[in-house]
Amino acid sequence: MSAPAQFQPKPDVPAWRLLVTLGLAGALAGFVLVFVYQATLPTIERNRAERLAAAIQEVLKAPDHYDTLYVYQGTLTRQLPADADPKKLEQIYFGYHADSSPIGFAIASGEPGFQDVVRLIFGYDHATQTLLGMKVLESKETPGLGDKIEKNVDFVSQFDGVQTPLTGVKPRQSTGDPHEVDMITGATISSRTVIKIINNALQRMGPMLESYQAAATGPQSAEVAQ
Amino acid sequence: MGELVWILLSAMVVNNFTLAYFLGLCPFMGVSARVSTALRLGLADIFVLVIASVCAWFLNTFILPYAPYLRLISFIVVIASLVQIVEMVIKKVSPVLFRQLGIYLPLITTNCAILGLAIFQTNRGYNLLEGLFFAVGGGLGLTLALVLMASIRESSEMADVPALAKGMALVLIIAGSLSLAFMGFAGLLSSS
Amino acid sequence: MSKTSPQQDFFRGIWRENPVLIQMLGLCPALAVSNTLENSLVMGIATFFVLTGSSLLVSIVKKAVPGEVRISTYILIIATFVTVADMTLEALVPDIHKALGAFVALIVVNCMILGRQEAFASKNPVGRSLLDAFGTGFGFIIAMVMMGSIREILGTGALLGMKVIPGPFEPWVIFILPPGGFLTLGFWLLLFGWIEKRRVERARVREWPHGVGAREEAA
Amino acid sequence: MAKRMRFRHGVHPPELKQLTAAIPVRRLPFPDEIVLPLSQHTGKPAVPIVRIGDRVERGDKVAEADGFISSPIHTSAAGTVTAIELWPHPTGGYQDAIRIAVAPYDAQVPRKRIIPDWRGLDRKQLVDAVRQAGVVGLGGAAFPTHVKLVPPDDVSIDTIVINGCECEPYLTTDHRTMVEYPGRVHLGIRLMMKTIGADRVMVGIEKNKPDAIERLRATLPDDLEGHVTIHGLTVKYPQGAEKMLIKALLGREVPSGRLPMHVGVVVHNVASVATIAEVFETGLPLIERIVTVTGPGVRRPANLIVPVGTKVRDVFDACGGLTETAREIVFGGPMMGAAQASLDVPITKGTTGVIALTGAEVKSQHSYPCIRCGHCLDACPVFLNPQLLGQLAMHDRYDEMVENHLMDCMVCGCCGYTCPSNIPLTQLFALAKNQLKRQPPKPKAA
Amino acid sequence: MTAPRLLITAWPHLAERDSTPRIMWTVNVSLIPVIVAAIYYFGPSAVLVIVAALAGCLATEWLFGSRETLFDGSAVITGLLLGLCLPAGLPMWMAFVGGAFAIGFGKLIFGGLGQNIFNPALLGRAFLQAAFPVALTTWPVIRENWWALRGDNLALPLMSPGEVDVLTSATPLGLMKFEQQSTELGKLMIGATGGSLGETAGILILLCGAYLAWRNYLNWRIPISIFLTVAALATLTHWLNPAFPGALFMLFSGGLMLGAVYMATDMVTSPVTNRGCWLYGVGIGVLVVVIRLWGGLAEGVMYAILLMNAMVPFINRATQPRVFGTRAAVKVTE
């Protein structure tokens, strides 16, 4: 940019005028921004919520409703203490059927893939250690090859009902083991990334899920019994 | 640690700032005719990127939660003024360093790589350390791309490039070829 | 600055001084988000909005702003418009906004916009500044469409998501990858260079129909 | 010596010396006319001291040296000065020359002892005699010999190197000199040791001349034993270049831009050494020299003693004439020699050989683009990057050429010899050096 | 005596017998054994793919280059090498496109022979790899029926290859990387494995390369430094982690032989200085090992060479020879 080169100082402009000009401009900008922010915020938040809901809907096989859980000091909790900032904590979701019987967790996680970080969300039933579904949220994998992890129905649908921990196998070599996921020919790295993300997330979250599920289902089943 | 190394390498080669994210294209196209210039510009770039990364982290952690709509404005204003201050300090403290790097600083402030770094970093929620690795990786990536481009242009200067392709068209084709070559780094450190 | 007619103000930016294809400004968005026509269009329109908005404002307040803080004020104005555009896009077209990612925010550092303020809007009356911004903005949109359509058609065989090439077309994935951005712009520049060369040759033939071998060459 | 005497890089052109290597030197009859260019040496041209119509005897001085780095010229035959005018010169173009019509049926008896006997002369007188005899280096460059006989006061010379390499293909002048006149070589060495004041002499001879090495060793006088050593060197071009020879024999590297004397060495061509002895023996100045007339374009190749100033036409006539296929005449060796435009060009003091090439040998002038094979870098004996220099030269970027050490180039022709794309690298460099001489590079802006 | 018409040419009046076209054509001839091996293993498909790549190169050279450059053999080298690093089942139109890109954007745009930065054949292949990633990673196996096509070579231009019943398999490197399966070394050396057309016959390529090195048509320092670097790093990594393959496997698998002998040594795109050649070779070796062991791709030779091609102008600058007589320690007697 050539702008600084053409800069011609005019010494007769007093400093206060510069400050006032900038201040005015800043104030005006702030005013406009706050206004637009207020105007668009509801829509934006609704969009985000809808997108999240749609993803959870998909991976938890249409739950009736779900709870948002926070990972707080090594445990999962629904209610946060007042001093914790919910925006800074990792969130996972716990879905229920219409009759309030639990379906499972929806966990979002991400790790480096072939090109860049792959983020996905998956549904997981801790009681049976099976996956309920998987949806890729964000990826830059090679179009036509690596992006099959989100676009290839055969690949995505495998994550419905597979046992954890997952193992990836080549399509022709599957043995029928319930832990197996057929990888995509030619996109081994991308397929493995998906499997790796899910396995790692479960390994990291496993104990937390365990204790939460025990706590959540315990009282509930007692209620049902009553 | 592995995470940090991946951030560094990703910004440097796998998703090179210039060749994959198209950040810092103006100097890449314009200033990269001489290797020595390119090298100094790259070093200055790393320097400013690190400052920008720290600024962005600071703003993002302490100010923006209360006024998210000010993100863009605050990034650009704070980074630009901080670079200006640093420039003045360098000029005072080390005139030699200033002659080597300082003249490039104003050029860099308005470079999209700086703002790009700040935005990418906050979008991905990097913490301070991760941000620093990201900035250094990105800066190294920029430097690498700049120096390679400059040395290739220097050597093509005396080639009989067809009149049609002289100038920007050739630069773009070279950039495309470099970008193709950098695709070889895809998936680095993420396969295991 | 020499006196120009309003038509010139408008059409200059569209073709003869096209910001992307001729002046090589604003390459970052032109290469980064032009992998589909949809993204290109949205990016083009957002940039158009920011450019015209800030040109209008800058030419209105130009007298009131002292030279020393001129650039800072312009950046402030541009950044405000960009933030507005960013939030509006996120509200209206969330999917595209997600695809464009950080590059909407990066409109702030698009040299084309600050360049127009500095070179034109800060020195000319409101009407002419607006015309200039319209022209430049359209020029940018045209360039984005040219990039986006080529890349989407070759890269996916479709345009705006609709299949345009019949048969089992094998997409050239490279065109929606980063190298494809550089190469596509390179192709366009080569094509323009070739057209320009032809034009100059033709003109020469018209001027000197019996020129030294020029006629045979053109024929 | 255990150490292998060698320099790095260089090329191995075919030797092609078998045409004349075994042919004894014979004398060329006096021609009808001799032409003596005023510039037959490095330095300022000589100034004529005869006028048109003057009668001169064989050995008479016809032009006086103009300054210290210059050399007088003597006529090689008796006759009448007919003109002092521009005449084709071996370096190309036309230069002032004295034309002398050789007196027919003249006995060609020279005046008696123009140069005094060496015995009894002191150092200064010896050098002066050499200077008066118009002796210049016979290896090609023709640098006035007397200058190299008195080292400046601020350098001390410890070694005299005698260059008997004759690394150029085809040429056998030095070879025949060493085989046929070993006594003169040794006398010359003795005289030089006296004037220069060094007591170590190293003679470097390429191993493809075993008979010369043998002969010089066999005839070495007893008192020189221990001072003079004769070394067989690898056959490689440009072994005979001063800097390469010093590197090979002594392992010393002459600094860029400096002279051999700065590392304590003086280099003399073996033929020049023999000539120093010859002028004192015969009492005649340098008026004739041994020339190899060879090449596939000559009917009867020979080694001839040619009066300086003989036109090359007459030289060929004495060798049976040119063949039908002869296409190019080269003065000097094929690597660094210059092609001649006319058969009227005279043999000068620096002419080592005359080569007639046929169409089959003449190199194609068609060149291809440089493919950066790097062969020229492997060939360049002074480790330049001819590839880069060539590119710069083609774009007239002379200043950058200087930065890349153009001035160290000795235009030996190795790069051009080895270039598969046939790029005239050596010419480009010679041209650039000429340009720069005319127009020195701008001092770098601070 | 009548004076002949004298020619004036510049010195030196002698020249080595080599000429640029001669070098180019010799390299082409030396490729014949490799091509024959490709045809032996992959049948008529090999012929089709190589011919298509060659046609792409020559057509582009003919359209945009000059007549002379068409016959100097350089475009033919590009075509043959490009063909040899493609899989046998590739549709011919893709090979043609690769050839056209290789010559057009790999060579002519830089000013033609001698001026390009990137190895045209590899640039063409990198373009194809980025454009058609699936087709470029479908490796047919060597099978009994020699006459059968190894894929849909005859797919219509611009159209996807049809579903042809061809047995495909991973390359030895792919097997090693993704399934930790090693391939028998003997098979690797004679080339009885899956892979690109020309990368299978390691021993044969070595012999051809040795011939070229003997003729000084390639700088032996480049392949040697690549081999040494790869072998050293592979031995080290194998020792640290036995899951990584050993040196011999690394050397003879994938395109390393073809790349090191024919692609990396391309005179135009390799350094001019000998020291530069060592650096360049070591660089390629390191990149190959890094990409193979830690990258997302099974094979990295192509990218390693392209990346180092980009470094060559820089290497050339950095390794200028030390000019005679400029050593600091020269003693000057004053």
Side-chain angles (χ1 to χ4, degrees):
Chain A
M1 259 181 289
S2 58
Q6 299 171 355
F7 194 85
Q8 285 159 1
K10 289 182 203 148
D12 53 342
V13 181
W16 64 263
R17 245 199 87 191
L18 303 183
L19 284 176
V20 167
T21 315
L22 274 182
L24 266 178
L28 204 69
F31 177 74
V32 172
L33 287 182
V34 169
F35 177 75
V36 177
Y37 182 67
Q38 296 297 346
T40 54
L41 190 62
T43 331
I44 292 174
E45 302 240 291
R46 204 176 59 235
N47 285 342
R48 283 184 186 156
E50 272 171 13
R51 199 184 295 152
L52 180 66
I56 294 170
Q57 193 78 9
E58 199 175 320
V59 296
L60 287 184
K61 303 295 160 221
D64 182 63
H65 60 281
Y66 61 86
D67 290 338
T68 303
L69 312 177
Y70 300 96
V71 179
Y72 184 67
Q73 293 176 345
T75 55
L76 289 174
T77 171
R78 253 158 73 185
Q79 252 81 48
L80 279 176
D83 59 331
D85 180 0
K87 283 185 183 150
K88 286 185 180 167
L89 296 177
E90 193 175 347
Q91 303 170 7
I92 67 172
Y93 311 94
F94 192 65
Y96 300 93
H97 287 298
D99 59 359
S100 291
S101 59
I103 303 173
F105 298 95
I107 302 167
S109 183
E111 271 180 57
F114 191 65
Q115 273 303 339
D116 213 332
V117 174
V118 174
R119 281 191 67 78
L120 55 79
I121 186 166
F122 62 93
Y124 173 64
D125 181 1
H126 189 70
T128 57
Q129 307 256 314
T130 48
L131 287 190
L132 301 168
M134 182 277 295
K135 182 178 167 62
V136 174
L137 297 174
E138 207 177 296
S139 95
K140 279 186 143 190
E141 305 299 278
T142 320
L145 202 58
D147 72 349
K148 283 186 184 162
I149 57 168
E150 54 182 313
K151 293 192 176 147
N152 186 320
V153 182
D154 289 343
F155 179 76
V156 176
S157 64
Q158 295 179 80
F159 290 87
D160 187 357
V162 70
Q163 290 271 318
T164 60
L166 311 177
T167 48
V169 292
K170 296 190 73 175
R172 279 175 228 266
Q173 295 168 355
S174 50
T175 57
D177 188 309
H179 293 277
E180 278 176 359
V181 173
D182 286 355
M183 295 196 290
I184 299 161
T185 315
T188 320
I189 297 275
S190 302
S191 321
R192 273 199 194 163
T193 305
V194 172
I195 294 166
K196 190 174 63 176
I197 294 172
I198 295 175
N199 284 344
N200 285 355
L202 287 179
Q203 202 181 1
R204 184 161 47 92
M205 299 264 191
M208 286 187 260
L209 301 180
E210 178 81 58
S211 55
Y212 183 82
Q213 187 134 11
T217 49
Q220 231 167 34
S221 44
E223 270 170 40
V224 173
Q226 271 178 355
Chain B
M1 194 59 214
E3 178 84 346
L4 290 177
V5 173
W6 184 82
I7 289 175
L8 186 100
L9 285 180
S10 172
M12 184 174 157
V13 289
V14 184
N15 296 299
N16 183 283
F17 262 33
T18 305
L19 298 172
Y21 283 171
F22 305 100
L23 297 174
L25 276 182
C26 290
F28 184 65
M29 301 281 170
V31 190
S32 61
R34 286 270 160 262
V35 172
S36 50
T37 320
L39 199 62
R40 283 187 206 155
L41 182 65
L43 293 179
D45 250 328
I46 298 177
F47 179 72
V48 178
L49 280 173
V50 168
I51 295 182
S53 169
V54 176
C55 283
W57 176 82
F58 186 84
L59 285 172
N60 200 43
T61 314
F62 297 108
I63 297 180
L64 293 187
Y66 309 104
Y69 44 86
L70 281 183
R71 189 170 80 152
L72 204 50
I73 289 186
S74 62
F75 278 175
I76 211 163
V77 169
V78 171
I79 293 172
S81 25
L82 204 67
V83 170
Q84 205 122 76
I85 293 169
V86 170
E87 189 189 338
M88 285 184 232
V89 170
I90 293 182
K91 202 172 182 176
K92 265 258 156 49
V93 174
S94 166
V96 181
L97 187 67
F98 180 76
R99 267 201 301 282
Q100 298 280 318
L101 301 181
I103 48 171
Y104 300 108
L105 290 179
L107 203 73
I108 295 167
T109 319
T110 47
N111 177 335
C112 40
I114 310 302
L115 191 64
L117 169 104
I119 292 171
F120 275 109
Q121 179 186 328
T122 47
N123 278 0
R124 293 179 183 181
Y126 284 158
N127 63 29
L128 184 59
L129 195 61
E130 287 169 333
L132 280 176
F133 271 75
F134 187 54
V136 172
L140 287 175
L142 280 178
T143 314
L144 189 64
L146 271 171
V147 169
L148 285 183
M149 191 67 178
S151 62
I152 291 176
R153 277 173 84 172
E154 263 187 29
S155 90
S156 298
E157 212 170 55
M158 289 184 283
D160 318 316
V161 176
L164 210 57
K166 271 217 167 91
M168 274 306 136
L170 181 71
V171 174
L172 283 165
I173 302 291
I174 296 174
S177 309
L178 275 177
S179 184
L180 263 181
F182 270 72
M183 283 178 71
F185 288 115
L188 201 60
L189 289 188
S190 66
S191 61
S192 45
Chain C
M1 180 167 289
S2 63
K3 201 76 186 151
T4 48
S5 72
Q7 285 96 325
Q8 276 175 315
D9 285 341
F10 181 69
F11 286 107
R12 180 180 48 212
I14 291 186
W15 192 250
R16 230 163 30 78
E17 290 179 19
N18 187 294
V20 176
L21 303 172
I22 309 292
Q23 302 191 56
M24 297 288 136
L25 295 175
L27 286 185
C28 170
L31 295 173
V33 297
S34 59
N35 50 4
T36 66
L37 183 55
E38 199 177 36
N39 291 353
S40 315
L41 262 177
V42 173
M43 180 51 120
I45 292 167
T47 311
F48 181 87
F49 163 74
V50 175
L51 178 59
T52 46
S54 43
S55 274
L56 181 69
L57 210 59
V58 164
S59 67
I60 289 174
V61 302
K62 62 177 180 284
K63 292 256 167 60
V65 180
E68 287 83 347
V69 292
R70 201 180 54 208
I71 301 288
S72 323
T73 318
Y74 298 164
I75 290 181
L76 215 57
I77 291 174
I78 296 169
T80 311
F81 275 103
V82 172
T83 314
V84 169
D86 193 21
M87 291 191 287
T88 315
L89 284 183
E90 192 170 5
L92 294 182
V93 279
D95 289 336
I96 297 176
H97 180 268
K98 196 181 149 209
L100 298 181
F103 291 98
V104 179
L106 287 177
I107 295 177
V108 179
V109 281
N110 187 332
C111 330
M112 173 186 89
I113 294 178
L114 191 60
R116 281 341 281 168
Q117 313 311 328
E118 179 60 22
F120 203 91
S122 60
K123 294 171 189 157
N124 286 290
V126 178
R128 290 188 56 195
S129 303
L130 214 50
L131 267 183
D132 176 73
F134 275 140
T136 312
F138 270 129
F140 186 75
I141 293 180
I142 289 172
M144 289 300 287
V145 167
M146 283 165 55
M147 293 287 294
S149 47
I150 289 288
R151 291 182 70 182
E152 189 176 352
I153 291 176
L154 283 177
T156 64
L159 200 58
L160 288 173
M162 285 175 295
K163 204 162 158 49
V164 290
I165 300 183
F169 174 74
E170 175 78 11
W172 299 38
V173 177
I174 186 172
F175 283 99
I176 45 181
L177 297 178
F182 287 114
L183 293 178
T184 310
L185 190 54
F187 290 151
W188 277 119
L189 291 187
L190 285 179
L191 186 67
F192 292 148
W194 184 72
I195 291 173
E196 178 69 15
K197 203 177 112 198
R198 289 271 307 254
R199 201 181 60 75
V200 170
E201 270 168 15
R202 290 244 171 92
R204 194 184 297 147
V205 172
R206 265 200 305 280
E207 220 168 310
W208 297 299
H210 308 294
V212 229
R215 194 182 209 175
E216 286 80 354
E217 241 173 61
Chain D
M1 208 180 269
K3 206 184 69 185
R4 270 184 66 201
M5 291 186 166
R6 54 188 281 272
F7 69 100
R8 286 177 56 213
H9 290 188
V11 292
H12 296 276
E15 293 170 24
L16 304 166
K17 292 179 191 275
Q18 70 281 2
L19 288 174
T20 52
I23 299 177
V25 176
R26 65 186 169 93
R27 190 167 277 279
L28 181 80
F30 287 98
D32 296 340
E33 184 186 42
I34 57 169
V35 181
L36 299 165
L38 294 174
S39 177
Q40 299 192 28
H41 46 260
T42 310
K44 275 180 138 180
V47 184
I49 52 170
V50 289
R51 266 177 297 181
I52 294 168
D54 284 1
R55 158 81 196 193
V56 288
E57 289 301 326
R58 181 159 177 249
D60 280 358
K61 188 188 283 181
V62 292
E64 185 53 87
D66 182 17
F68 183 60
I69 301 186
S70 184
S71 189
I73 290 162
H74 306 79
T75 171
S76 54
T80 316
V81 176
T82 55
I84 300 176
E85 61 183 12
L86 290 173
W87 191 263
H89 192 270
T91 56
Y94 286 70
Q95 294 198 12
D96 276 324
I98 302 173
R99 291 177 68 180
I100 295 169
V102 177
Y105 313 114
D106 192 289
Q108 297 288 357
V109 181
R111 295 175 206 277
K112 222 176 163 195
R113 260 222 177 275
I114 300 169
I115 309 297
D117 195 351
W118 62 278
R119 274 168 280 248
L121 296 186
D122 68 8
R123 204 175 145 223
K124 197 156 171 298
Q125 285 166 323
L126 270 178
V127 174
D128 201 52
V130 169
R131 174 177 144 92
Q132 282 307 318
V135 179
V136 301
L138 297 194
F143 191 79
T145 300
H146 63 268
V147 180
K148 290 205 287 187
L149 290 180
V150 273
D153 296 336
D154 55 347
V155 298
S156 70
I157 304 295
D158 56 31
T159 310
I160 301 169
V161 168
I162 308 295
N163 183 355
C165 297
E166 199 156 54
C167 55
E168 283 263 15
Y170 282 119
L171 301 186
T172 53
T173 311
D174 295 350
H175 185 182
R176 292 315 302 176
T177 306
M178 288 185 282
V179 172
E180 296 187 32
Y181 304 104
R184 284 184 181 168
V185 174
H186 292 311
L187 175 58
I189 288 172
R190 202 185 292 278
L191 294 174
M192 280 174 36
M193 286 168 72
K194 187 167 177 185
T195 61
I196 294 171
D199 64 350
R200 181 161 74 140
V201 177
M202 297 174 95
V203 184
I205 302 168
E206 280 192 351
K207 281 179 185 153
N208 58 358
K209 295 179 267 289
D211 49 342
I213 300 173
E214 194 45 47
R215 190 105 172 93
L216 281 186
R217 280 193 181 142
T219 56
L220 187 66
D222 291 341
D223 59 324
L224 289 183
E225 204 82 59
H227 296 291
V228 179
T229 47
I230 291 149
H231 304 272
L233 298 171
T234 41
V235 182
K236 185 156 82 164
Y237 181 86
Q239 185 71 263
E242 277 185 345
K243 292 182 175 183
M244 305 303 111
L245 188 58
I246 295 170
K247 174 78 182 168
L249 283 173
L250 291 145
R252 297 182 194 167
E253 213 167 275
V254 179
S256 160
R258 308 302 282 269
L259 295 171
M261 64 179 183
H262 293 117
V263 290
V265 183
V266 175
V267 182
H268 282 277
N269 176 270
V270 73
S272 322
V273 176
T275 303
I276 294 174
E278 186 186 352
V279 297
F280 288 113
E281 256 177 33
T282 61
L284 277 173
L286 172 53
I287 54 172
E288 54 189 27
R289 65 156 298 150
I290 301 176
V291 174
T292 305
V293 184
T294 182
V298 180
R299 284 192 207 279
R300 289 201 306 275
N303 297 301
L304 298 175
I305 296 177
V306 179
V308 170
T310 308
K311 282 178 274 186
V312 67
R313 182 191 304 279
D314 300 324
V315 175
F316 282 131
D317 281 347
C319 296
L322 293 170
T323 62
E324 305 296 313
T325 49
R327 276 287 165 274
E328 186 167 30
I329 310 297
V330 174
F331 268 35
M335 294 300 283
M336 286 186 78
Q340 301 301 320
S342 154
L343 287 177
D344 291 327
V345 176
I347 302 291
T348 63
K349 293 178 186 175
T351 308
T352 47
V354 180
I355 304 168
L357 299 170
T358 64
E361 282 83 38
V362 174
K363 215 172 63 171
S364 153
Q365 294 302 293
H366 180 82
S367 62
Y368 296 90
C370 170
I371 53 169
R372 305 184 215 169
C373 60
H375 289 178
C376 50
L377 280 95
D378 281 343
C380 182
V382 287
F383 306 97
L384 299 172
N385 181 347
Q387 189 262 339
L388 176 66
L389 286 172
Q391 269 197 329
L392 290 170
M394 284 192 243
H395 290 81
D396 296 339
R397 288 159 69 162
Y398 295 135
D399 294 357
E400 277 164 79
M401 291 181 78
V402 175
E403 279 166 38
N404 285 289
H405 301 275
L406 171 69
M407 288 314 174
D408 285 289
C409 172
M410 38 187 212
V411 288
C412 63
C414 286
C415 46
Y417 169 79
T418 195
C419 180
S421 287
N422 208 359
I423 297 168
L425 290 166
T426 321
Q427 279 62 55
L428 289 170
F429 304 155
L431 201 75
K433 286 174 97 167
N434 265 337
Q435 285 283 357
L436 284 166
K437 221 175 269 170
R438 235 174 278 162
Q439 188 182 41
K442 288 166 244 126
K444 249 188 132 177
Chain E
M1 187 180 85
T2 55
R5 294 224 327 268
L6 290 182
L7 282 171
I8 311 281
T9 65
W11 83 100
H13 302 280
L14 290 174
E16 245 168 25
R17 282 198 354 269
D18 286 343
S19 75
T20 299
R22 193 189 177 109
I23 295 178
M24 298 291 170
W25 285 112
T26 311
V27 174
N28 280 324
V29 170
S30 78
L31 275 170
I32 288 176
V34 186
I35 295 171
V36 169
I39 296 172
Y40 171 76
Y41 287 123
F42 294 104
S45 281
V47 181
L48 291 180
V49 170
I50 293 174
V51 164
L54 194 57
C57 289
L58 291 179
T60 314
E61 184 88 36
W62 179 70
L63 269 178
F64 300 106
S66 68
R67 215 12 103 69
E68 186 193 326
T69 56
L70 190 59
F71 295 114
D72 66 13
S74 59
V76 177
I77 295 190
T78 304
L80 293 181
L81 285 178
L82 175 64
L84 284 174
C85 60
L86 295 174
L90 196 74
M92 285 175 76
W93 71 265
M94 289 187 188
F96 186 90
V97 165
F101 186 88
I103 292 292
F105 287 85
K107 184 171 135 190
L108 292 181
I109 200 130
F110 290 97
L113 177 62
Q115 329 226 21
N116 45 312
I117 301 294
F118 298 97
N119 184 319
L122 285 180
L123 200 64
R125 194 195 188 280
F127 178 82
L128 288 179
Q129 168 101 55
F132 314 112
V134 181
L136 264 279
T137 45
T138 308
W139 311 105
V141 294
I142 302 160
R143 66 173 183 183
E144 286 85 68
N145 182 0
W146 188 84
W147 288 103
L149 290 183
R150 264 56 166 188
D152 192 2
N153 293 117
L154 303 172
L156 289 175
L158 299 183
M159 295 302 142
S160 308
E163 291 290 322
V164 182
D165 180 32
V166 167
L167 219 52
T168 60
S169 78
T171 58
L173 274 170
L175 286 173
M176 176 52 105
K177 185 176 185 91
F178 300 122
E179 280 152 62
Q180 276 75 45
Q181 283 177 21
S182 196
T183 309
E184 217 179 296
L185 205 59
K187 273 190 179 173
L188 282 176
M189 290 195 182
I190 61 161
T193 59
S196 299
L197 288 174
E199 67 181 37
T200 56
I203 293 282
L204 214 51
I205 296 171
L206 267 186
L207 289 178
C208 296
Y211 170 74
L212 288 179
W214 173 70
R215 293 287 302 267
N216 200 15
Y217 289 172
L218 61 81
N219 194 329
W220 54 269
R221 293 166 187 86
I222 297 172
I224 293 297
S225 56
I226 295 176
F227 294 151
L228 289 180
T229 312
V230 169
L233 285 178
T235 311
L236 184 73
T237 50
H238 181 66
W239 178 66
L240 290 173
N241 177 0
F244 287 145
L248 276 175
F249 179 87
M250 281 291 245
L251 286 178
F252 281 94
S253 57
L256 190 83
M257 281 296 156
L258 190 71
V261 171
Y262 280 103
M263 314 276 205
T265 55
D266 171 17
M267 287 172 168
V268 178
T269 55
S270 59
V272 291
T273 61
N274 286 336
R275 269 193 306 153
C277 284
W278 286 112
L279 265 178
Y280 169 80
V282 170
I284 291 176
V286 170
L287 283 173
V288 166
V289 174
V290 165
I291 294 178
R292 279 187 180 181
L293 297 188
W294 294 288
L297 301 159
E299 175 57 308
V301 171
M302 168 178 79
Y303 290 112
I305 297 176
L306 282 175
L307 287 164
M308 289 311 289
N309 281 166
M311 293 288 289
V312 163
F314 193 74
I315 294 178
N316 275 341
R317 275 174 63 97
T319 58
Q320 285 299 307
R322 184 189 63 73
V323 173
F324 189 90
T326 53
R327 192 171 41 191
V330 173
K331 205 178 78 212
V332 181
T333 55
E334 296 279 356

